[in-house]
């Protein structure tokens, strides 16, 4: 492990990291460089080290730096090489925007070894979410976990992500969309995908979005057993509930959720917001 978190390291110091990763006898598996002053030039140096046949890094943490699209592209090129064994990439708090997601999308489609990608505390909106969704739906993307906490994704971006989640080629198991701008319209699409038979998603986080109080808690950290049930209850519920709510609870045999939902949100309020 190489821990340089908060060392005020800049681009110049990354040449040392590059040279260390190139050493035949290096045993660096985790590279922790959060809260420094690394920019695109420094990111390019790190990327050169990642390309080395001697590099064994599986985790790269770059929270709170100043890496832009050029630096992301360089890291992406390194990750896309067959020699790179990186499994976890963290680019939180780097002021990344929608257009930067083009570069992210590019390297996700290059059969990378990445399984976990953290992009929290950036400025990713609906357009950026669309780029990401395109990558997730492609069988070349091997991501299992995607963290988009504290961004600017709204209902349009949520709908795009939801469509990708229903693709059988999508391998995402955990998706964090906490603290974005998703309302009940976007949540409806995401929850439909979450409860779909096609998805591999087992965890969906929607907390701290503009949703009815208590609504999200019902679905957090829960994956139903998919068993079909008789349609009698669904027929009885249709006059009161939106069809997708009825399908989720009845077709997935989760009448216990219906009781919880009634306990936290009145029927009138639920109809209003959905």
């Amino acid at each position: 492990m190489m821990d340089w978190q908060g060392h005020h390291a800049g681009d110049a110091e990354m040449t040392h990291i590059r040279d260390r990763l190139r050493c035949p006898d290096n045993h660096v598996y985790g590279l922790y460089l959060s809260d420094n002053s690394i920019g695109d030039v420094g990111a390019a140096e790190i990327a050169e080290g990642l390309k080395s046949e001697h590099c064994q890094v599986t985790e790269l943490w770059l929270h709170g730096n100043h890496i832009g699209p050029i630096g992301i592209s360089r890291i992406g090129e390194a990750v896309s090489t067959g020699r790179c064994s990186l499994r976890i990439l963290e680019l939180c708090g780097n002021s990344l925007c929608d257009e930067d997601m083009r570069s992210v999308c590019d390297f996700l489609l290059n059969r990378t070894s990445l399984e976990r990608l953290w992009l929290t505390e950036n400025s990713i909106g609906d357009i950026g979410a669309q780029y990401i969704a395109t990558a997730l739906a492609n069988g070349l993307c091997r991501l299992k976990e995607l963290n988009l906490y504290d961004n600017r994704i709204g209902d349009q971006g949520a709908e795009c992500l939801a469509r990708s989640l229903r693709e059988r080629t999508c391998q995402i198991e955990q998706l964090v969309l906490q603290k974005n701008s998703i309302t009940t319209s976007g949540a409806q699409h995401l929850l439909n995908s979450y409860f779909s038979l096609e998805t591999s998603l087992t965890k969906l986080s929607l907390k701290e979005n503009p949703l009815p109080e208590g609504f999200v808690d019902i679905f957090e950290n829960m994956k139903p057993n998919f068993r079909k049930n008789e349609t009698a209850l669904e027929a009885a519920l249709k006059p009161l509930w939106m069809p997708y709510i009825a399908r989720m609870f009845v077709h997935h045999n989760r009448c216990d959720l219906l009781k919880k939902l009634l306990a936290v949100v009145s029927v009138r309020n639920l109809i209003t917001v959905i």
Side-chain angles (χ1 to χ4, degrees):
M1 182 181 74
M2 203 167 180
D3 190 349
W4 277 26
Q5 296 184 89
H7 274 45
H8 307 289
D11 291 340
E13 286 75 20
M14 294 306 102
T15 57
H16 173 74
I17 300 290
R18 177 201 64 199
D19 294 340
R20 176 74 179 276
L21 298 181
R22 286 174 168 175
C23 291
D25 60 346
N26 92 83
H27 298 287
V28 178
Y29 300 101
L31 195 52
Y32 303 94
L33 301 170
S34 298
D35 300 319
N36 284 292
S37 301
I38 303 167
D40 286 341
V41 174
E45 297 291 358
I46 297 170
E48 288 303 312
L50 292 174
K51 292 178 183 178
S52 170
E53 61 180 330
H54 303 297
C55 179
Q56 303 183 61
V57 172
T58 59
E59 300 183 23
L60 176 58
W61 298 79
L62 291 164
H63 179 280
N65 283 283
H66 310 292
I67 300 171
I70 297 175
I72 292 175
S73 295
R74 296 294 181 270
I75 292 174
E77 290 171 5
V79 171
S80 300
T81 64
R83 293 187 299 272
C84 185
S85 57
L86 199 66
R87 297 287 184 271
I88 302 172
L89 176 59
E90 190 258 23
L91 291 167
C92 307
N94 276 276
S95 301
L96 302 179
C97 63
D98 287 340
E99 287 305 307
D100 296 328
M101 294 305 102
R102 285 180 180 267
S103 299
V104 172
C105 184
D106 287 343
F107 72 71
L108 288 178
L109 293 177
N110 280 320
R111 293 187 179 274
T112 69
S113 57
L114 275 183
E115 296 179 354
R116 295 170 59 187
L117 177 62
W118 287 33
L119 297 168
T120 72
E121 300 172 339
N122 283 298
S123 300
I124 303 166
D126 288 337
I127 295 175
Q130 291 176 38
Y131 291 140
I132 295 171
T134 299
L136 297 183
N138 193 301
L140 298 177
C141 178
R142 300 176 181 177
L143 279 187
K144 304 292 186 185
E145 178 182 337
L146 176 61
N147 194 327
L148 291 165
Y149 167 83
D150 196 5
N151 276 283
R152 301 176 181 176
I153 299 170
D155 292 336
Q156 185 179 1
E159 184 177 353
C160 291
L161 290 168
R163 283 199 300 268
S164 293
L165 292 171
R166 289 195 294 273
E167 295 291 335
R168 292 189 180 275
T169 48
C170 180
Q171 302 180 46
I172 286 290
E173 297 174 357
Q174 297 185 42
L175 176 61
V176 178
L177 287 165
Q178 185 175 345
K179 201 175 182 181
N180 277 274
S181 302
I182 300 169
T183 70
T184 50
S185 175
Q188 172 179 339
H189 292 288
L190 289 165
L191 292 174
N192 277 336
S193 295
Y194 181 52
F195 282 85
S196 169
L197 283 167
E198 286 79 22
T199 186
S200 58
L201 193 66
T202 58
K203 181 178 180 180
L204 173 66
S205 177
L206 291 172
K207 289 182 177 180
E208 296 184 77
N209 279 284
L211 294 164
E213 183 179 358
F215 184 79
V216 174
D217 293 333
I218 300 162
F219 305 98
E220 286 281 315
N221 303 314
M222 173 185 58
K223 187 72 173 178
N225 294 316
F226 295 110
R227 288 182 295 164
K228 297 235 174 168
N229 199 358
E230 63 273 6
T231 58
L233 182 56
E234 181 180 6
L237 289 172
K238 278 183 178 177
L240 294 176
W241 302 84
M242 293 297 287
Y244 89 95
I245 289 287
R247 285 197 299 272
M248 283 196 296
F249 289 144
V250 179
H251 286 177
H252 304 320
N253 197 29
R254 295 310 297 261
C255 295
D256 56 320
L257 299 184
L258 175 57
K259 295 178 181 179
K260 292 180 181 179
L261 191 60
L262 286 170
V264 296
V265 183
S266 71
V267 173
R268 179 178 297 177
N269 288 340
L270 189 64
I271 294 174
T272 300
V273 299
I274 298 178

